[in-house]
Amino acid sequence: MNVDLPQREQNLFRQVVKCHETKQYRKGLKSVDKILEKCPNHAESLAMKGLLLSGTSKKDESYEYVKKGLAKNLKSYLCWHVYGLLLKTDKNETEAIKCYHNALKYESDNMTILRDLSYLQMQQRDIDGFTETRRKIMLQNSGVPSNWVAYAVGNTLIGEYETALSVLDSFENGVDGDNIKPIEKSEMSLFRAQVLEENNKFEEAIEVLNKNDKVVLDSALRKASLARLYIKTNQSDKAVGLYEELLAVNPECYDYLFGLVRSQGINASSDYNTQDVTLSEGDQVKILPIFDALQAQYPRSLACKRFLLDFISGDEFVKRVDAYMIKLLRKGAPS
């Protein structure tokens, strides 16, 4: 806010900002018009009028007023931020990012602008820029766990796994554990294990998950992650037991079924969704009794019947797809 506004107009300007935040656009326009009657060259008020007009679907007028504000004061961080908000609303993320950077030239520690910038950078897949922005946010507001995690996530996405782990270590060592919510402790443990897994440190990831079995609240996700890691470390016997526990809770989950297939030593790729999963004749013979047992154990599970069809071929496929399809067709089930 410019300091050249009289006290009464400064109070009105605060009301204008609040009206925008609460979406009381018409009330805000009345207040900003009162400011402009006395101070017609106040750049921030012109910009805010443009922002309020955008909320009333007057797009052309909104840009006109924001540009007028910038013409009055090119060094106003608020005018640049408002211009960026309008551009973001119109899906022009690239230009909006430029406006946010201009705003930060004159208000480098503004948390609202930094957060808005980081969101757009992630949408535009500017991961390097996102990571740097989250670093600044973390340094300015280090007491918020999500700021540390966001910076660690950025480093993970650009492949800086050691930095991500170092950030998590620094946070855990510098914050009183009693001040961290149980859900935050849980998510941090899971995320640490994920970073270690992506960095091919499978044994360390297993150790983290086993050590924090009481901390992690999502037991299903912990078991699924452990099972996947056991397969990667040639401990498939442990993975089998975990997948069987998971299927007992949710026999419709394709990921659990696929994990069980891989844990049984059947040569299938690690990515079920993007591969041709047809198996060799030997593996097809091995997979049939596994799913026969599953179908007997979970007779109402459609996934146990449907999933098998992706792995087999020939006469066995014809027989099983016939039994699967006819029952559903008779019931008139949608495709």
Side-chain angles (χ1 to χ4, degrees), residues 139-184:
L139 292 175
Q140 290 185 39
N141 199 353
S142 59
V144 180
S146 60
N147 291 341
W148 291 80
V149 174
Y151 180 47
V153 168
N155 279 286
T156 303
L157 291 174
I158 61 176
E160 295 290 340
Y161 301 114
E162 296 300 330
T163 303
L165 292 168
S166 176
V167 169
L168 294 177
D169 288 336
S170 298
F171 174 74
E172 291 176 358
N173 294 332
V175 176
D176 184 357
D178 294 335
N179 295 329
I180 306 176
K181 298 176 183 177
I183 185 63
E184 292 172 341

Side-chain angles (χ1 to χ4, degrees), residues 218-283:
D218 190 340
S219 60
L221 181 55
R222 188 187 75 86
K223 288 179 181 179
S225 300
L226 266 178
R228 185 176 62 250
L229 288 162
Y230 281 141
I231 292 175
K232 292 180 178 180
T233 54
N234 298 317
Q235 302 179 68
S236 296
D237 54 330
K238 295 181 180 179
V240 171
L242 287 171
Y243 280 123
E244 288 175 346
E245 290 178 23
L246 290 166
L247 285 167
V249 177
N250 182 11
E252 300 292 343
C253 181
Y254 276 39
D255 287 337
Y256 299 164
L257 291 168
F258 188 59
L260 183 64
V261 168
R262 295 186 62 228
S263 66
Q264 298 277 12
I266 294 172
N267 187 24
S269 168
S270 60
D271 190 354
Y272 167 70
N273 295 314
T274 60
Q275 64 145 346
D276 177 5
V277 294
T278 302
L279 303 178
S280 65
E281 290 185 10
D283 281 337

Side-chain angles (χ1 to χ4, degrees), residues 191-233:
F191 179 57
R192 179 185 290 276
Q194 179 185 334
V195 174
L196 288 167
E197 181 179 359
E198 291 184 19
N199 199 21
N200 296 322
K201 295 185 176 181
F202 305 133
E203 294 289 355
E204 291 183 38
I206 291 172
E207 183 181 350
V208 168
L209 291 172
N210 283 327
K211 179 181 177 182
N212 294 287
D213 61 328
K214 303 298 183 184
V215 174
V216 176
L217 302 179
D218 190 340
S219 60
L221 181 55
R222 188 187 75 86
K223 288 179 181 179
S225 300
L226 266 178
R228 185 176 62 250
L229 288 162
Y230 281 141
I231 292 175
K232 292 180 178 180
T233 54

